[in-house]
Amino acid sequence: MKLSTRLLNLLTAIGCFAIAGIAVAYFLINEKFEWIPESALELVREKELLERPDAKRCSECHKDIYEAWKESRHSISWISKTYIEASENRSKEKCLACHIPESVTGEKPSPRLDRRDDGIYCVSCHFVNGKMNGPYDLVAPPHPTHRNPDYVNSRFCGSCHQKTFKEWKETGVEDTCQNCHMPRTKDRLTQKFPLSLLHKQKWVGSHKFLHGDLSEKDILMEAEFKNNFFNLSLLNKTVPHKVPTADNGDPRIYLYITFLNAAGEQVDQAKEILAPQQETALPFNKEVRFRYRLFDPVAQAIIVLKYQPAWSKERVVIWEKIIRP
Amino acid sequence: MSSARIFSLFIIFIFFLALPAQAKDMILKEPPQSLSKYYPPESKEPKWIQQMHKMSTHFGGVFVNLKEKDFENVDKHADKLVEEYKKTSEMVPEWEEYFDIKAAEAFAAAAKTHDMAKAGKASGGLGKTCGKCHAEQEVAVWTRFHWPSFRKIKVTDPISEKEMGFDDYMSQVSSSFKGVTVNFGEGQYDRSAKALKTFKSQFMELKSTCSKCHTTDDVKRFYVGEDADTAFAGLAKELNAEKPNPGKFWKNIGLLGKTGCKHCHLTHRTYSFIRETWEQK
């Protein structure tokens, strides 16, 4: 047999063994991890992963989740300019617990002293009582992970988002915080090659913690001119908590009404601020009415609804409408 | 009488005149920077005040247990007091001289005799060291670490939509308030009604401002709550009436003043003035 043929056979055999090895490991890790002896797992454990690593360290394996989190407001909860200004250079004690939580467990957390720049990070939510926790039981050779049903429960988010959690509970809607703000896709938990090959695809929630875009279908409006009054109502039809909502931030919806006469000249204007801190935010499925007295003849009212999140001065138009008598 | 003698008498007179005033004077100096590490954000919790509570508890614990003749706990509290007192004396180097370890030890020794009179007598020496520091520093520490700085608060005026400092904003609120009252006093009800719209909007914006520190709804409502809603509804009703009733109008103005304005000013203004003085340095 030629040398080249022998080499080819050898490589083929190695390849087959490698594939078989991966297949066996895949099967054991994902289906029968109880068969793996603890002593074997101890060999591949990375103990420092259970010593509150920083987010960057987690990203070595969980690249996709890290990148999504990096885009979220959670990742900048300690370093955001808005927070620093609003908390008087972070000196307000009451803000610390939720801007740099040590361990989120469903109760109001305690603040931590280390890795503050990471804000609300991997360890804050997934590392509880010295163990890695998540929505799945995983053998995860570098660090075992324990299933905790709280991760798909709104109460978990309610550790910090207490007012929003209460508002949601009052609506009686079953969709949880995670359903809307952490939509799930089938994906692997790790992207580190070749370890990624050993991971079965699972439902993974988006760690961008999506912030809903509001539109015409979310906030409905009805308006009419009657006698010398202009009556308008708004209805939060789809969001099962107040809109906007916040525990301590100050997001707002601005309602601008401009009244024009037949010549197109402005004769009057009105403005409403719908904000949680002013207790004027729109409740779920409950009409909120406004009434304006008209002193001059009005040919049309231009109504604009704008949203301003807590962390920005920019206002985004939700919708614009024109109403005529 | 020689002029030198008169001058000397004058100086003596001035000295005695000044003495009682000096004894009552309180000078508020900003606390040393080293204290900051015992308060958030440098510390997780307000450790300095917690330390004060610890000492106070052990000090009180000695007397509570002496009264109850629980001598085992008297001794424990006496020892813990000395331990915490020593620890506290090392926390802020600039304040080291306020502490007298010997006085603390003498008190502990007296407490351990289990004789109330002896403990009471020895507590005087120790109490003096606490009292001196409290007299000179307590208000300053509370002002610096337990009260906010209004100068750092920014408010967006709901009318102009411009962001401004808190003082400037309050001037705007005050102006729109005067627009309501002055015009009403002059019988210019339409102008007063227009000013009320502005004033109400600016006043209600304060709810958001309060929420920058007050995270509990009940506390926010203490400043801008049901009374404000009642007063504004009453004012609007009078101004929209064909013939406004001055009695009802001024009653509602009074309600706003006695609740919202007064509640906040009485609580916050004094501390705000002190901080402002420090921040102007």
Short mmCIF file of all heavy atoms in Angstrom, two decimals, chain B residues 64-93:
data_model
loop_
_atom_site.label_atom_id
_atom_site.label_comp_id
_atom_site.label_asym_id
_atom_site.label_seq_id
_atom_site.Cartn_x
_atom_site.Cartn_y
_atom_site.Cartn_z
N VAL B 64 -29.49 49.82 80.09
CA VAL B 64 -30.70 48.98 80.07
C VAL B 64 -30.47 47.74 80.94
O VAL B 64 -31.30 47.37 81.78
CB VAL B 64 -31.08 48.58 78.62
CG1 VAL B 64 -32.11 47.45 78.61
CG2 VAL B 64 -31.60 49.78 77.85
N ASN B 65 -29.30 47.12 80.77
CA ASN B 65 -29.01 45.89 81.49
C ASN B 65 -28.65 46.12 82.96
O ASN B 65 -28.92 45.26 83.80
CB ASN B 65 -27.91 45.10 80.78
CG ASN B 65 -28.45 44.46 79.53
OD1 ASN B 65 -29.32 43.60 79.59
ND2 ASN B 65 -27.98 44.92 78.37
N LEU B 66 -28.07 47.30 83.25
CA LEU B 66 -27.82 47.62 84.67
C LEU B 66 -29.14 47.71 85.40
O LEU B 66 -29.30 47.21 86.51
CB LEU B 66 -27.07 48.95 84.76
CG LEU B 66 -25.55 48.91 84.66
CD1 LEU B 66 -24.96 50.32 84.67
CD2 LEU B 66 -24.93 48.09 85.82
N LYS B 67 -30.11 48.36 84.73
CA LYS B 67 -31.43 48.52 85.32
C LYS B 67 -32.10 47.17 85.53
O LYS B 67 -32.79 46.95 86.53
CB LYS B 67 -32.27 49.38 84.37
CG LYS B 67 -33.24 50.28 85.06
CD LYS B 67 -33.87 51.20 84.04
CE LYS B 67 -35.08 51.89 84.60
NZ LYS B 67 -35.75 52.71 83.59
N GLU B 68 -31.88 46.28 84.56
CA GLU B 68 -32.51 44.95 84.65
C GLU B 68 -31.67 43.95 85.45
O GLU B 68 -32.02 42.78 85.55
CB GLU B 68 -32.75 44.40 83.23
CG GLU B 68 -33.79 45.19 82.46
CD GLU B 68 -33.82 44.86 80.97
OE1 GLU B 68 -32.97 44.05 80.51
OE2 GLU B 68 -34.67 45.42 80.27
N LYS B 69 -30.53 44.44 85.95
CA LYS B 69 -29.57 43.62 86.71
C LYS B 69 -29.10 42.39 85.91
O LYS B 69 -28.85 41.33 86.46
CB LYS B 69 -30.15 43.20 88.07
CG LYS B 69 -30.51 44.41 88.94
CD LYS B 69 -30.74 43.98 90.37
CE LYS B 69 -31.24 45.11 91.25
NZ LYS B 69 -30.46 46.34 91.20
N ASP B 70 -29.02 42.58 84.60
CA ASP B 70 -28.50 41.52 83.73
C ASP B 70 -27.02 41.82 83.52
O ASP B 70 -26.61 42.40 82.50
CB ASP B 70 -29.27 41.54 82.40
CG ASP B 70 -28.80 40.47 81.42
OD1 ASP B 70 -27.77 39.82 81.71
OD2 ASP B 70 -29.42 40.31 80.37
N PHE B 71 -26.20 41.46 84.51
CA PHE B 71 -24.81 41.92 84.54
C PHE B 71 -23.93 41.28 83.46
O PHE B 71 -22.95 41.86 83.03
CB PHE B 71 -24.22 41.73 85.95
CG PHE B 71 -24.99 42.52 86.97
CD1 PHE B 71 -25.50 41.91 88.12
CD2 PHE B 71 -25.21 43.88 86.79
CE1 PHE B 71 -26.23 42.64 89.05
CE2 PHE B 71 -25.93 44.62 87.72
CZ PHE B 71 -26.45 43.99 88.85
N GLU B 72 -24.32 40.11 83.05
CA GLU B 72 -23.55 39.46 81.99
C GLU B 72 -23.59 40.32 80.72
O GLU B 72 -22.58 40.56 80.06
CB GLU B 72 -24.13 38.07 81.71
CG GLU B 72 -23.20 37.19 80.90
CD GLU B 72 -23.86 35.84 80.59
OE1 GLU B 72 -24.65 35.34 81.41
OE2 GLU B 72 -23.58 35.33 79.50
N ASN B 73 -24.79 40.79 80.41
CA ASN B 73 -24.94 41.63 79.22
C ASN B 73 -24.38 43.03 79.43
O ASN B 73 -23.98 43.68 78.46
CB ASN B 73 -26.40 41.67 78.77
CG ASN B 73 -26.72 40.47 77.90
OD1 ASN B 73 -25.89 40.07 77.06
ND2 ASN B 73 -27.89 39.89 78.09
N VAL B 74 -24.36 43.51 80.66
CA VAL B 74 -23.72 44.81 80.94
C VAL B 74 -22.27 44.71 80.50
O VAL B 74 -21.75 45.57 79.77
CB VAL B 74 -23.79 45.16 82.45
CG1 VAL B 74 -22.89 46.36 82.77
CG2 VAL B 74 -25.23 45.46 82.87
N ASP B 75 -21.60 43.65 80.93
CA ASP B 75 -20.17 43.48 80.62
C ASP B 75 -19.95 43.36 79.11
O ASP B 75 -19.02 43.94 78.55
CB ASP B 75 -19.62 42.23 81.31
CG ASP B 75 -19.65 42.38 82.84
OD1 ASP B 75 -20.04 43.49 83.28
OD2 ASP B 75 -19.30 41.43 83.55
N LYS B 76 -20.84 42.60 78.46
CA LYS B 76 -20.71 42.42 77.01
C LYS B 76 -20.81 43.76 76.28
O LYS B 76 -20.00 44.09 75.42
CB LYS B 76 -21.81 41.48 76.49
CG LYS B 76 -21.46 40.02 76.59
CD LYS B 76 -22.57 39.20 75.93
CE LYS B 76 -22.42 37.74 76.32
NZ LYS B 76 -23.60 36.95 75.97
N HIS B 77 -21.83 44.53 76.64
CA HIS B 77 -22.04 45.83 75.97
C HIS B 77 -20.88 46.78 76.28
O HIS B 77 -20.47 47.55 75.41
CB HIS B 77 -23.37 46.45 76.40
CG HIS B 77 -24.54 45.86 75.68
ND1 HIS B 77 -24.75 46.07 74.32
CD2 HIS B 77 -25.55 45.06 76.08
CE1 HIS B 77 -25.85 45.43 73.95
NE2 HIS B 77 -26.34 44.79 75.00
N ALA B 78 -20.37 46.73 77.51
CA ALA B 78 -19.26 47.61 77.88
C ALA B 78 -18.04 47.30 77.02
O ALA B 78 -17.38 48.20 76.46
CB ALA B 78 -18.93 47.46 79.36
N ASP B 79 -17.74 46.01 76.89
CA ASP B 79 -16.58 45.61 76.07
C ASP B 79 -16.79 45.98 74.61
O ASP B 79 -15.88 46.48 73.95
CB ASP B 79 -16.36 44.09 76.17
CG ASP B 79 -15.78 43.69 77.52
OD1 ASP B 79 -15.20 44.59 78.19
OD2 ASP B 79 -15.92 42.53 77.92
N LYS B 80 -17.99 45.73 74.09
CA LYS B 80 -18.26 46.02 72.69
C LYS B 80 -18.20 47.53 72.43
O LYS B 80 -17.75 47.97 71.37
CB LYS B 80 -19.66 45.49 72.28
CG LYS B 80 -19.74 43.99 72.12
CD LYS B 80 -18.84 43.45 71.04
CE LYS B 80 -19.42 43.61 69.66
NZ LYS B 80 -18.51 43.05 68.64
N LEU B 81 -18.64 48.29 73.42
CA LEU B 81 -18.59 49.75 73.25
C LEU B 81 -17.15 50.22 73.07
O LEU B 81 -16.85 51.00 72.16
CB LEU B 81 -19.24 50.46 74.44
CG LEU B 81 -19.14 51.98 74.40
CD1 LEU B 81 -19.90 52.57 73.21
CD2 LEU B 81 -19.66 52.61 75.68
N VAL B 82 -16.27 49.72 73.93
CA VAL B 82 -14.86 50.12 73.82
C VAL B 82 -14.29 49.69 72.46
O VAL B 82 -13.60 50.45 71.78
CB VAL B 82 -14.02 49.53 74.99
CG1 VAL B 82 -12.54 49.83 74.81
CG2 VAL B 82 -14.51 50.06 76.32
N GLU B 83 -14.64 48.47 72.07
CA GLU B 83 -14.15 47.96 70.78
C GLU B 83 -14.61 48.84 69.62
O GLU B 83 -13.82 49.24 68.77
CB GLU B 83 -14.71 46.52 70.62
CG GLU B 83 -14.18 45.77 69.43
CD GLU B 83 -14.93 44.44 69.26
OE1 GLU B 83 -15.20 43.76 70.27
OE2 GLU B 83 -15.27 44.12 68.11
N GLU B 84 -15.90 49.16 69.59
CA GLU B 84 -16.45 49.97 68.50
C GLU B 84 -15.93 51.41 68.57
O GLU B 84 -15.71 52.05 67.56
CB GLU B 84 -17.99 49.97 68.52
CG GLU B 84 -18.63 48.62 68.27
CD GLU B 84 -18.30 48.01 66.91
OE1 GLU B 84 -17.88 48.74 65.99
OE2 GLU B 84 -18.44 46.77 66.77
N TYR B 85 -15.76 51.92 69.79
CA TYR B 85 -15.26 53.28 69.97
C TYR B 85 -13.85 53.40 69.40
O TYR B 85 -13.52 54.35 68.69
CB TYR B 85 -15.27 53.61 71.47
CG TYR B 85 -14.98 55.06 71.80
CD1 TYR B 85 -16.01 56.01 71.81
CD2 TYR B 85 -13.70 55.47 72.15
CE1 TYR B 85 -15.76 57.33 72.13
CE2 TYR B 85 -13.44 56.79 72.48
CZ TYR B 85 -14.47 57.73 72.48
OH TYR B 85 -14.21 59.03 72.80
N LYS B 86 -13.02 52.39 69.70
CA LYS B 86 -11.64 52.38 69.18
C LYS B 86 -11.67 52.32 67.65
O LYS B 86 -10.93 53.04 66.97
CB LYS B 86 -10.87 51.18 69.72
CG LYS B 86 -10.37 51.37 71.13
CD LYS B 86 -9.61 50.13 71.59
CE LYS B 86 -9.12 50.27 73.02
NZ LYS B 86 -8.66 49.01 73.58
N LYS B 87 -12.54 51.45 67.14
CA LYS B 87 -12.64 51.29 65.68
C LYS B 87 -13.06 52.61 65.04
O LYS B 87 -12.49 53.05 64.03
CB LYS B 87 -13.70 50.20 65.40
CG LYS B 87 -13.70 49.69 63.99
CD LYS B 87 -14.72 48.54 63.90
CE LYS B 87 -15.21 48.37 62.48
NZ LYS B 87 -16.36 47.48 62.41
N THR B 88 -14.05 53.27 65.64
CA THR B 88 -14.55 54.53 65.09
C THR B 88 -13.45 55.60 65.10
O THR B 88 -13.34 56.39 64.16
CB THR B 88 -15.77 55.02 65.90
OG1 THR B 88 -16.65 53.93 66.11
CG2 THR B 88 -16.51 56.11 65.16
N SER B 89 -12.66 55.58 66.17
CA SER B 89 -11.61 56.62 66.30
C SER B 89 -10.59 56.54 65.18
O SER B 89 -9.89 57.50 64.89
CB SER B 89 -10.92 56.50 67.66
OG SER B 89 -10.08 55.35 67.66
N GLU B 90 -10.53 55.37 64.53
CA GLU B 90 -9.53 55.21 63.45
C GLU B 90 -10.13 55.44 62.07
O GLU B 90 -9.42 55.39 61.06
CB GLU B 90 -8.95 53.79 63.53
CG GLU B 90 -8.05 53.60 64.73
CD GLU B 90 -7.86 52.13 65.09
OE1 GLU B 90 -8.30 51.26 64.31
OE2 GLU B 90 -7.28 51.87 66.17
N MET B 91 -11.42 55.65 62.01
CA MET B 91 -12.07 55.73 60.71
C MET B 91 -11.81 57.05 59.97
O MET B 91 -11.60 57.06 58.76
CB MET B 91 -13.58 55.48 60.84
CG MET B 91 -13.92 54.02 61.13
SD MET B 91 -15.63 53.75 61.59
CE MET B 91 -16.45 53.72 60.00
N VAL B 92 -11.88 58.15 60.69
CA VAL B 92 -11.68 59.46 60.03
C VAL B 92 -10.48 60.13 60.70
O VAL B 92 -10.59 60.67 61.81
CB VAL B 92 -12.96 60.34 60.17
CG1 VAL B 92 -12.77 61.67 59.47
CG2 VAL B 92 -14.16 59.61 59.61
N PRO B 93 -9.32 60.07 60.07
CA PRO B 93 -8.11 60.60 60.71
C PRO B 93 -8.25 62.04 61.19
O PRO B 93 -7.74 62.41 62.25
CB PRO B 93 -7.04 60.51 59.61
CG PRO B 93 -7.58 59.56 58.60
CD PRO B 93 -9.06 59.57 58.71
#
